[in-house]
Amino acid sequence: MILFDFFTTQNKFSPRTLIEKVDVSGLTAEEAVIKLNQSPVSDLLPGTVAFVNSGESFSFSPRDLGIFVKATETVSQAFSLSHGGNYLKTLSQKLSGKYRVYPAKFSFVPETAQEIILEIAQQLDAPPVDAKITIDESTGGYHIYPEKFGRKLRISNTLENLKQALDSGKPIIALDIEITTKPKITETMLREHPPVFRLSAFTTYYGTHDSKNRIHNIKLIASWLNNTIILPDEVMSLSENIGDFTAERGFKEAFVIMNGELVPQLGGGTCQIGTTLYNAVQLADLEIISRRNHSFYFNIYPLGRDATVYPGSADFKFKNNTGRPVLIKAVANNRKLSFRIFGTSTGKKVEFSNPSIYLLGEDGSFHPSNLRSAIASDAPFRTVVVRTVYNASGEAIKKETIRSYYKLYGEKSNVPIKRPEPR
């Protein structure tokens, strides 16, 4: 019987022999290869294949990844293991009645697996996220959220990890993630000098004829600017922060001043953003880099202290010269727009003088006047406002002259309107 078993099993697998879950008992190597090729991959690689990284996991079926059994290599390995070594020891294992289970070897279709890994990359790839701070203005409490580094999944390396995992028979694959760009603002920066002291605040109200479109644009931009952090010596360009005026970004048509006329354009209302922020910045004594007043004066703004903004033609820029991070808070509702600037207390106080008005006379020169005369005359006029900065001891440490030039008073009925504003 022993001789019979020895000679009849030399070219076949012994009874009770499995390759994973596939029974190859009594089959020749060629027959086993055929059977493996005909068997579902789930019988050879049960369960799911998982891609993992630091608590994140993405699971897929072997079929989704294009995994298949390398039948010839698998059978060759199993046959070598089952027929090698001491025959009497092999016979003893047969007589024990236990199943002998051999591992399978796998490969995958690169294009199919790469498509799955690209899907994972869409979920994992991310730009850096700056640290941020939120303030409860009613209590003075605040919370700092840590930064997040940018990351990118290395596709080719992860495919190689898949190959190695399948070669070792382990259906758990490490995702190869590259840490990319460092965030500009870190938690350490904010904790060292948290911008939680209110340096300034300024509010403007909408005009009685303001359209819903204009107010919509103001609310939209204010929502983008709210919680903006500006680092020491950083220059903020309002135009760059606002970006392009497109309908896809949510902008609607409202009046803007173009070539001496009021013209409905996408983004109308941006100048109220510029004017309100300009005054908050001036009160915080941040450094003004560039500012231009409107060609028309509108009485919803402080006379001589307005700022026009329209990307591509006019910008308002300022620099954080405090040596500490500052935080901009913006709130817009259906009545008003407010900007508040938070930073580290400096003890400074800022005051503006009443505007001095100079009306253009028939002789071509400007003469001292008043707003009533300027409105009645429909003539261009200039304004001069003096800004004084005091230190914590009440001493004047800086004086600045703000000059503005207006062609018309914008609230009068004779202001040229090219075409009506959408309502």
Side-chain angles (χ1 to χ4, degrees):
M1 290 179 62
I2 293 174
L3 289 173
F4 177 79
D5 178 80
F6 177 81
F7 286 109
T8 58
T9 61
Q10 287 307 294
N11 297 315
K12 296 181 180 180
F13 282 104
S14 301
R16 296 186 182 86
T17 300
L18 301 177
I19 296 178
E20 300 296 350
K21 289 185 178 181
V22 177
D23 193 340
V24 293
S25 302
L27 300 180
T28 64
E30 292 78 9
E31 291 170 336
V33 168
I34 294 172
K35 187 168 185 179
L36 289 187
N37 281 327
Q38 294 175 342
S39 299
V41 70
S42 57
D43 286 350
L44 295 155
L45 187 61
T48 59
V49 177
F51 293 86
V52 298
N53 172 69
S54 301
E56 296 173 296
S57 179
F58 303 86
S59 298
F60 302 91
S61 71
R63 179 175 295 179
D64 289 338
L65 289 160
I67 293 174
F68 60 89
V69 65
K70 295 195 287 187
T72 301
E73 289 185 38
T74 295
V75 170
S76 176
Q77 174 183 265
F79 207 84
S80 176
L81 292 172
S82 64
H83 289 71
N86 187 299
Y87 170 73
L88 293 178
K89 182 178 179 181
T90 302
L91 179 63
S92 175
Q93 291 175 337
K94 292 180 185 179
L95 296 176
S96 70
K98 295 180 181 179
Y99 277 91
R100 304 176 74 186
V101 182
Y102 297 102
K105 287 181 169 292
F106 300 94
S107 187
F108 57 89
V109 180
E111 295 80 8
T112 304
Q114 180 168 309
E115 186 175 340
I116 292 293
I117 294 173
L118 285 171
E119 291 180 10
I120 298 174
Q122 290 177 357
Q123 301 180 60
L124 285 179
D125 291 358
V129 177
D130 288 332
K132 65 178 183 178
I133 183 170
T134 57
I135 301 174
D136 185 338
E137 295 186 53
S138 62
T139 64
Y142 65 91
H143 182 75
I144 296 175
Y145 296 87
E147 72 276 9
K148 294 181 181 179
F149 282 78
R151 62 182 190 175
K152 186 175 182 62
L153 180 63
R154 292 187 178 101
I155 305 297
S156 59
N157 290 10
T158 300
L159 279 169
E160 180 60 28
N161 290 350
L162 172 60
K163 178 181 181 301
Q164 293 178 8
L166 293 177
D167 287 344
S168 65
K170 298 176 181 178
I172 298 177
I173 300 93
L175 293 165
D176 193 321
I177 296 178
E178 174 188 7
I179 301 301
T180 58
T181 316
K182 180 180 178 181
K184 181 183 72 172
I185 302 169
T186 66
E187 181 181 5
T188 301
M189 294 176 183
L190 298 182
R191 291 208 179 277
E192 187 176 3
H193 299 286
V196 294
F197 179 84
R198 196 172 79 175
L199 300 174
S200 67
F202 198 80
T203 299
T204 56
Y205 294 82
Y206 308 135
T208 55
H209 301 296
D210 279 341
S211 67
K212 290 183 179 179
N213 284 3
R214 185 176 187 275
I215 295 172
H216 164 85
N217 291 337
I218 291 171
K219 287 181 177 179
L220 183 66
I221 298 171
S223 70
W224 295 341
L225 297 178
N226 187 39
N227 290 322
T228 297
I229 295 172
I230 307 174
L231 297 177
D233 297 323
E234 184 179 0
V235 174
M236 176 178 175
S237 162
L238 186 53
S239 180
E240 290 178 4
N241 273 264
I242 292 172
D244 295 332
F245 291 145
T246 64
E248 291 75 14
R249 298 184 66 221
F251 285 106
K252 297 183 179 181
E253 286 193 354
F255 280 137
V256 299
I257 303 171
M258 294 187 67
N259 300 320
E261 296 178 303
L262 291 179
V263 184
Q265 293 285 332
L266 290 173
T270 308
C271 291
Q272 187 150 354
I273 294 282
T275 294
T276 311
L277 181 58
Y278 167 69
N279 280 271
V281 166
Q282 286 279 53
L283 288 168
D285 195 34
L286 305 183
E287 181 183 347
I288 305 299
I289 303 298
S290 65
R291 166 261 178 184
R292 194 172 80 194
N293 64 276
H294 296 79
S295 57
F296 298 170
Y297 171 68
F298 295 91
N299 63 15
I300 60 173
Y301 305 139
L303 181 58
R305 289 159 45 200
D306 57 323
T308 182
V309 177
Y310 201 86
S313 61
D315 197 4
F316 166 50
K317 295 182 181 180
F318 63 95
K319 180 179 180 180
N320 174 12
N321 58 348
T322 67
R324 305 283 188 268
V326 297
L327 170 71
I328 296 176
K329 298 283 291 181
V331 178
N333 58 30
N334 290 329
R335 293 181 56 248
K336 62 185 179 180
L337 167 68
S338 297
F339 278 103
R340 297 183 289 278
I341 298 179
F342 292 82
T344 302
S345 177
T346 61
K348 291 180 181 178
K349 180 182 177 182
V350 176
E351 290 182 349
F352 295 100
S353 70
N354 291 325
S356 299
I357 299 173
Y358 301 88
L359 184 63
L360 182 64
E362 294 181 358
D363 59 356
S365 60
F366 287 89
H367 304 278
S369 184
N370 55 60
L371 186 58
R372 180 177 295 181
S373 298
I375 294 171
S377 68
D378 282 334
F381 62 99
R382 295 183 182 275
T383 62
V384 174
V385 175
V386 176
R387 186 180 76 102
T388 305
V389 182
Y390 301 89
N391 63 17
S393 301
E395 299 173 321
I397 57 174
K398 186 191 305 181
K399 282 199 174 185
E400 172 193 27
T401 300
I402 305 168
R403 293 181 171 86
S404 303
Y405 172 78
Y406 304 98
K407 294 179 180 178
L408 287 174
Y409 184 77
E411 300 300 318
K412 295 197 68 172
S413 60
N414 64 345
V415 172
I417 298 176
K418 187 170 185 178
R419 58 186 172 88
E421 185 182 44
R423 295 283 172 173

